[in-house]
């Protein structure tokens, strides 16, 4: 009998591939590296840190410090006043009581140490705190005497972002599993090709003819072209669909809803207007009295950031770290020429090229003061919940239809305004109006916004 092919080659190849895959997989379960022993803390670390005074509560001291001292002092770097960590090791406690309660009186008495501290810090007058008791000051001193927390060292074998150190605990990574599955699929494809080749050879050796019939079929496109009804219906559908999409595209020209450009200095409305509750019109004061809302001057920023050079630890998010926010404050300092170490202006300034977000066309007139001051419209009505925005965006489409709908729905506040009360009385008598809207006051006339 004539031998056709090697029928054992398939099983041999399959066994060899399976053994290779198992060997490759088992290698990942090799002995895990022993965890590195934790590094011993320096023996003199505790000795180097200032000891907290007896009788003081550091937790209460932190609360008192944040309430009374944090506006001018930082524990580890100078602000308006000097850094205060370890201040108990520099001065006598009885002297600190007098200094905190009334530093000006202590200086006026001629105390040599008080005069020296006053002159060393640029003769800046410290606010008196006569309401603080000796126990309160002890608590503050205890808080300032705590050792500076060290940045935690990365664990041995740890890999940067989450998901990249999956093999640290001895498990199989996703890449290995996917690679093994890919090998199995490749082996199956090869086996199918080999089986098909062997069966074809067996058929030929036995004289079996493999039928290769051809059907006389008509092309689908040719059949479609011969059906006039289908051609007409399809043409009408394509024309209507093209008109619909073309109209939608043209209507979106100049509409920049959800536009959120990246600014040269990252400003978080979530932190300022949300967490800190700063009123919108404190920074955008021009919105109350002028046509434009205005870009706040950097001097307004420095009203607070003269003494706030870094954010709190609770401000950071998963996307934006504390170091990121602190770097943005430093950009502000570079722009205005502020040296936080000396608490003075250097005179070297840099312009900040803000990217405009809301930009109405020239033929549309909008007055902020008319809406904010006269009508009493809240900023969120047009700008959205800005107190939740990390990056400011254009909330509303600012289209003509959007403005007209607002004029139709917004009711005029008539309380205490005899002019509006008279108009409403006349309209109620003539048309039976239950409420007076902007549209009733002529708010839909073309000349109100286009002139």
């Amino acid at each position: 009998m004539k031998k056709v092919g090697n029928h054992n080659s398939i099983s041999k190849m399959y066994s060899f591939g399976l053994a290779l895959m198992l060997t490759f997989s088992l290698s990942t379960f090799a002995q895990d590296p022993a965890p590195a022993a934790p590094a011993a803390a320096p023996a003199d670390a505790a000795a180097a840190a200032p000891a907290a005074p007896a009788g003081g509560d550091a937790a209460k001291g932190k609360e008192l410090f944040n309430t009374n001292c944090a506006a001018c002092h930082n524990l580890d770097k100078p602000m308006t006043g000097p850094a205060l960590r370890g201040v108990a090791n520099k001065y006598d406690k009885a002297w600190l009581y007098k200094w905190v309660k009334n530093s000006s009186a202590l200086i006026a008495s001629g105390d040599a140490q008080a005069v020296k501290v006053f002159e060393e810090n640029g003769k800046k007058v410290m606010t008196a705190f006569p309401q603080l008791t000796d126990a309160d000051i002890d608590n503050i001193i205890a808080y300032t005497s705590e050792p500076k927390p060290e940045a935690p060292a990365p664990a041995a074998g740890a890999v940067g972002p989450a998901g990249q150190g999956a093999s640290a605990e001895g498990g199989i990574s996703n890449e290995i599993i996917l690679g093994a599955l890919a090998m199995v699929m490749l082996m199956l494809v090869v086996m199918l090709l080999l089986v098909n080749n062997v069966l074809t050879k067996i058929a030929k050796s036995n004289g079996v003819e493999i039928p290769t019939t051809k059907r006389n079929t008509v092309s689908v496109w040719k059949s479609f072209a011969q059906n006039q009804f289908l051609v007409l219906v399809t043409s009408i559908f394509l024309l209507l669909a093209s008109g619909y999409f073309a109209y939608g595209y043209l209507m979106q020209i100049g509409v920049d809803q959800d536009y959120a450009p990246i600014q040269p200095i990252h400003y978080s409305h979530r932190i300022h207007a949300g967490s800190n509750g700063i009123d919108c019109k404190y920074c955008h004061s021009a919105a109350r009295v002028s046509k434009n809302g205005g870009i706040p001057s950097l001097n307004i920023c420095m009203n607070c950031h003269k003494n706030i050079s870094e954010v709190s630890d609770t401000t950071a998010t998963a996307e934006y770290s504390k170091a990121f926010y602190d770097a943005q404050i430093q950009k502000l300092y570079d722009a205005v020429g502020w040296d936080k170490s000396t608490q003075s202006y250097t005179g070297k300034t840099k312009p900040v090229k803000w990217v405009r977000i809301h930009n109405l066309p020239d033929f549309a007139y909008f007055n902020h003061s008319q809406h904010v001051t006269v009508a009493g419209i809240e900023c969120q009505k047009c700008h959205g919940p800005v107190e939740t925005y990390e990056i400011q965006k254009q909330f509303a489409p600012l289209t003509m239809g959007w403005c007209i709908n607002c004029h139709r729905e917004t009711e005029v506040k008539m309380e205490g305004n005899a002019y509006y009360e008279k108009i409403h009385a006349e309209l109620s008598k003539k048309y039976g109006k239950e409420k007076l809207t902007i549209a009733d006051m002529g708010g839909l006339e073309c000349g109100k916004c286009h002139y």
Side-chain angles (χ1 to χ4, degrees):
M1 176 185 291
K2 184 178 179 180
K3 186 176 181 180
V4 182
N6 186 0
H7 300 282
N8 295 326
S9 61
I10 299 175
S11 59
K12 290 181 179 179
M13 290 182 63
Y14 179 76
S15 301
F16 175 75
L18 183 61
L20 181 64
M21 183 182 66
L22 290 175
T23 304
F24 180 71
S25 301
L26 289 175
S27 65
T28 61
F29 292 96
Q31 182 178 0
D32 295 335
D44 56 345
D57 188 338
K60 294 181 179 178
K62 181 179 181 181
E63 183 178 351
L64 290 168
F65 182 90
N66 291 335
T67 303
N68 301 282
C69 312
C72 299
H73 293 280
N74 189 283
L75 290 182
D76 301 305
K77 61 184 178 181
M79 291 173 58
T80 302
L84 294 185
R85 189 180 297 279
V87 70
N89 296 336
K90 301 177 183 178
Y91 307 104
D92 181 69
K93 185 182 290 187
W95 183 87
L96 285 174
Y97 292 157
K98 299 177 182 178
W99 176 263
V100 172
K101 291 181 179 180
N102 196 338
S103 61
S104 299
L106 192 60
I107 296 170
S109 67
D111 184 272
Q113 193 170 32
V115 173
K116 181 181 178 182
V117 172
F118 181 64
E119 292 178 349
E120 286 179 350
N121 291 278
K123 297 184 178 181
K124 298 173 182 176
V125 179
M126 175 179 167
T127 304
F129 296 97
Q131 74 277 12
L132 294 179
T133 64
D134 292 349
D136 292 335
I137 298 175
D138 284 339
N139 293 335
I140 295 175
I141 292 175
Y143 172 63
T144 60
S145 299
E146 288 186 327
K148 183 178 181 180
E150 299 292 337
V159 185
Q164 294 184 2
S167 60
E169 299 179 358
I172 303 178
S173 66
N174 293 335
E175 289 78 4
I176 295 177
I177 296 175
L178 292 175
L181 292 176
M183 289 181 60
V184 172
M185 294 298 296
L186 181 62
M187 292 172 59
L188 291 175
V189 171
V190 172
M191 289 175 59
L192 289 174
L193 292 175
L194 292 175
V195 168
N196 180 66
N197 188 26
V198 170
L199 292 177
T200 302
K201 290 181 178 180
I202 292 175
K204 289 182 178 180
S205 63
N206 293 330
V208 177
E209 183 179 356
I210 300 175
T212 56
T213 59
K214 294 184 179 180
R215 298 180 180 179
N216 296 326
T217 58
V218 180
S219 173
V220 175
W221 297 108
K222 188 175 181 181
S223 300
F224 175 79
Q226 292 175 352
N227 192 321
Q228 296 182 357
F229 176 76
L230 288 178
V231 171
L232 177 62
V233 172
T234 304
S235 301
I236 295 175
F237 173 78
L238 291 177
L239 285 174
L240 292 176
S242 301
Y244 172 78
F245 287 109
Y247 176 79
Y249 173 78
L250 294 175
M251 290 302 294
Q252 292 302 314
I253 295 178
V255 179
D256 298 320
Q257 189 174 12
D258 294 329
Y259 174 55
I262 301 300
Q263 301 290 354
I265 298 179
H266 181 90
Y267 180 88
S268 173
H269 280 80
R270 175 186 64 86
I271 297 175
H272 293 80
S275 301
N276 295 323
I278 299 176
D279 183 63
C280 299
K281 293 181 283 293
Y282 173 77
C283 300
H284 299 277
S285 57
R288 295 177 296 184
V289 295
S290 70
K291 174 178 179 287
N292 296 311
I295 298 176
S297 168
L298 295 183
N299 292 332
I300 296 179
C301 304
M302 291 302 294
N303 287 343
C304 299
H305 282 288
K306 240 183 178 181
N307 295 323
I308 302 176
S309 59
E310 60 182 32
V311 300
S312 64
D313 296 331
T314 58
T315 304
T317 62
E319 187 175 0
Y320 300 101
S321 64
K322 179 181 183 299
F324 172 81
Y325 286 122
D326 292 344
Q328 303 308 307
I329 297 177
Q330 184 59 47
K331 288 182 180 180
L332 170 64
Y333 290 164
D334 294 340
V336 299
W338 175 257
D339 188 346
K340 62 181 179 182
S341 60
T342 62
Q343 291 286 298
S344 61
Y345 287 100
T346 63
K348 299 178 181 178
T349 61
K350 298 178 182 178
V352 179
K353 299 180 180 179
W354 300 107
V355 181
R356 184 165 186 168
I357 301 176
H358 305 86
N359 191 16
L360 291 178
D362 293 338
F363 55 79
Y365 177 83
F366 179 87
N367 191 310
H368 272 82
S369 63
Q370 185 178 0
H371 291 76
V372 174
T373 304
V374 179
I377 302 297
E378 295 294 333
C379 302
Q380 287 81 356
K381 178 72 173 179
C382 301
H383 296 287
V386 294
E387 67 277 4
T388 64
Y389 289 165
E390 183 65 37
I391 298 177
Q392 182 61 35
K393 66 177 182 178
Q394 180 176 317
F395 168 75
L398 301 183
T399 59
M400 180 175 175
W402 181 80
C403 294
I404 288 177
N405 287 337
C406 183
H407 282 191
R408 287 172 174 167
E409 298 169 357
T410 304
E411 185 176 357
V412 178
K413 298 177 181 179
M414 298 174 293
E415 294 78 7
N417 193 318
Y419 175 75
Y420 286 148
E421 289 177 354
K422 180 180 179 181
I423 292 179
H424 184 261
E426 293 179 357
L427 289 174
S428 299
K429 183 178 180 181
K430 186 175 181 179
Y431 299 108
K433 290 281 185 178
E434 296 182 0
K435 66 177 183 177
L436 183 65
T437 64
I438 306 298
D440 298 327
M441 297 285 295
L444 300 186
E445 295 177 3
C446 302
K448 292 290 184 180
C449 303
H450 305 288
Y451 63 89

